[in-house]
C-alpha cells in the first residue's frame, strides 16, 4: 500500500534542492500539493528541478526558484524574504544543504576543509533555523534537518562530516526542546545511509559516475534491505515527519533511514 500526503496550502523550503536528495524531497512535496522553494548555486539545475516540481504538482503550481550561495548572508536573507513575499508564509523548513571533504587529519589543509564542512553542514542549518523561527511560529511549522548515519559511526577520512552531523543531531534535539513550548515548532532529523544520487539522470542529464553507482550498489548489497537507498526513500521519511497528521507527536527525534547500515555494522 502506497502512502500519500496532502500538503495543499503548505509552503516548503528545501535548501540544497537543485539535485540529489534535496530534489527528491522537493518533488515529493510538490506532488503532494505544497508550494515549493527550490534553491541552489547552479541556476540551470534550480530551473530544471523547479520545472519538474511544477509538472508533478496537482494544480501545476509554479515552484519558486532562488539561486544563491547560502553561506553568504545576503543570499540567505534574500531566500527567506523572497519565500515569504511570494507565498506569504513558511510552514516547512528542510535543512538539506551539505558537503563532504575527504581529508587526512595530518594533511596541511585538514582544518580548512573542516571549517568548510562545518560551515555548510552545521552553521548554515543553525542560521537558517534561527532566521526562520518568526515565520514558522506563525504557522506552527516544523524543521527537518538532513543529517547522516555518519553522526553515529566513524567513517575513515570523513571525520569532519561525522562531527558536523553529530552536532546537527544535537542541534535538532536542542531546538525541539526550546522551540516547542512557546513557538509550537517541531524539529526532527533524518539520517540517511548510502543513497544513489543519479535521481535526475533521465530528465536533466545530471549523472553520477558509473564507478560511483557500482560502489553504491556494492555497499547496498551489504545492507539488510539488500540495496542502497534512493532519494525518494529519504523524501518519504521527510514527508512523514513534516505531516502534522501523521507525526504531530514526534519532535526531537533522530530518524535513521539507512537500510540497516548501522545495525549490520556495514564496513565501508
Amino acid at each position: 500500500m502506497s502512502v500519500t500526503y496532502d500538503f495543499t496550502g503548505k509552503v516548503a523550503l528545501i535548501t540544497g534542492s537543485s539535485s540529489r536528495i534535496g530534489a527528491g524531497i522537493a518533488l515529493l512535496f510538490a506532488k503532494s500539493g505544497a508550494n515549493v522553494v527550490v534553491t541552489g548555486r547552479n541556476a540551470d539545475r534550480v530551473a530544471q528541478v523547479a520545472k519538474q516540481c511544477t509538472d508533478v504538482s496537482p494544480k501545476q503550481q509554479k515552484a519558486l526558484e532562488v539561486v544563491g550561495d547560502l553561506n553568504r548572508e545576503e543570499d540567505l536573507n534574500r531566500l527567506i524574504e523572497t519565500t515569504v513575499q511570494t507565498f506569504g508564509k513558511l510552514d516547512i523548513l528542510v535543512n538539506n544543504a551539505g558537503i563532504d571533504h575527504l581529508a587526512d587529519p595530518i594533511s596541511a589543509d585538514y582544518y580548512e576543509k573542516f571549517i568548510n564542512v562545518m560551515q555548510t553542514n552545521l552553521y548554515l542549518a543553525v542560521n537558517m533555523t534561527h532566521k526562520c523561527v518568526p515565520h514558522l511560529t506563525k504557522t506552527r511549522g516544523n524543521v527537518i534537518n538532513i543529517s547522516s548515519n555518519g553522526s553515529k559511526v566513524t567513517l575513515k577520512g570523513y571525520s569532519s562530516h561525522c562531527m558536523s552531523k553529530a552536532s546537527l543531531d544535537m542541534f535538532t534535539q536542542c531546538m525541539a526542546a526550546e522551540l516547542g513550548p512557546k513557538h509550537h515548532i517541531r524539529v526532527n532529523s533524518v539520517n540517511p545511509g548510502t543513497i544513489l544520487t543519479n535521481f535526475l539522470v533521465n530528465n536533466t542529464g545530471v549523472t553520477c559516475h558509473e564507478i560511483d553507482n557500482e560502489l553504491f550498489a556494492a555497499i547496498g548489497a551489504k545492507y539488510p534491505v539488500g540495496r542502497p537507498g534512493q532519494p525518494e526513500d529519504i523524501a518519504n521519511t521527510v514527508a512523514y515527519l513534516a505531516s502534522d497528521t501523521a507525526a504531530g507527536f514526534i519532535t526531537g527525534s533522530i530518524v535513521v533511514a539507512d537500510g540497516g547500515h548501522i545495525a549490520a555494522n556495514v564496513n565501508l
Side-chain angles (χ1 to χ4, degrees), residues 13 15 70 76 79-80 90 92-96 121-137 142-146 168 171-172 174-176 178-179 183 185-188:
L13 190 168
T15 66
L70 300 186
L76 186 149
L79 169 62
I80 298 171
L90 176 64
I92 302 161
L93 170 64
V94 182
N95 287 312
N96 169 73
N121 292 5
L122 178 64
Y123 304 155
L124 173 55
V126 171
N127 203 15
M128 279 294 301
T129 302
H130 163 65
K131 294 195 172 188
C132 288
V133 164
H135 305 294
L136 294 169
T137 299
N142 65 85
V143 179
I144 297 141
N145 296 317
I146 305 302
L168 185 61
F171 174 68
T172 294
C174 288
M175 290 302 98
E178 295 197 36
L179 297 178
H183 300 275
I185 298 171
R186 295 188 299 110
V187 186
N188 293 290

Side-chain angles (χ1 to χ4, degrees), residues 164-176:
S164 69
K165 296 302 188 178
S167 298
L168 185 61
D169 285 354
M170 181 52 70
F171 174 68
T172 294
Q173 294 178 316
C174 288
M175 290 302 98

Side-chain angles (χ1 to χ4, degrees), residues 69-81:
D69 179 354
L70 300 186
N71 286 321
R72 298 177 58 195
E73 194 78 3
E74 57 267 37
D75 286 358
L76 186 149
N77 290 336
R78 177 168 54 85
L79 169 62
I80 298 171
E81 291 166 4

Side-chain angles (χ1 to χ4, degrees), residues 109-260:
D109 62 350
Y110 176 77
Y111 185 69
E112 179 184 349
K113 289 182 175 179
F114 168 78
I115 291 298
N116 194 13
V117 169
M118 293 295 284
Q119 178 64 49
T120 300
N121 292 5
L122 178 64
Y123 304 155
L124 173 55
V126 171
N127 203 15
M128 279 294 301
T129 302
H130 163 65
K131 294 195 172 188
C132 288
V133 164
H135 305 294
L136 294 169
T137 299
K138 293 177 183 178
T139 59
R140 296 196 172 201
N142 65 85
V143 179
I144 297 141
N145 296 317
I146 305 302
S147 182
S148 166
N149 64 1
S151 70
K152 306 295 184 185
V153 296
T154 59
L155 301 174
K156 187 176 180 180
Y158 291 96
S159 58
S160 297
H161 168 85
C162 295
M163 285 185 280
S164 69
K165 296 302 188 178
S167 298
L168 185 61
D169 285 354
M170 181 52 70
F171 174 68
T172 294
Q173 294 178 316
C174 288
M175 290 302 98
E178 295 197 36
L179 297 178
K182 291 185 178 180
H183 300 275
H184 308 287
I185 298 171
R186 295 188 299 110
V187 186
N188 293 290
S189 172
V190 177
N191 299 47
T194 296
I195 306 296
L196 278 173
T197 54
N198 57 345
F199 187 66
L200 304 179
V201 167
N202 294 329
N203 297 312
T204 71
V206 179
T207 63
C208 288
H209 296 296
E210 290 184 8
I211 189 170
D212 289 338
N213 288 334
E214 292 174 2
L215 175 61
F216 287 178
I219 294 170
K222 300 178 183 178
Y223 282 5
V225 297
R227 64 173 178 85
Q230 297 285 344
E232 53 263 37
D233 292 316
I234 307 307
N236 282 321
T237 308
V238 169
Y240 168 72
L241 291 172
S243 170
D244 291 327
T245 301
F249 196 58
I250 300 177
T251 193
S253 290
I254 311 300
V255 180
V256 177
D258 71 346

Side-chain angles (χ1 to χ4, degrees), residues 5-47:
Y5 295 96
D6 184 3
F7 290 107
T8 302
K10 299 290 187 180
V11 178
L13 190 168
I14 306 99
T15 66
S17 46
S18 61
S19 64
R20 303 178 179 181
I21 291 175
I25 295 170
L27 282 167
L28 182 55
F29 274 124
K31 186 177 181 180
S32 303
N35 291 300
V36 172
V37 184
V38 179
T39 184
R41 289 178 290 184
N42 184 300
D44 289 340
R45 292 185 184 181
V46 169

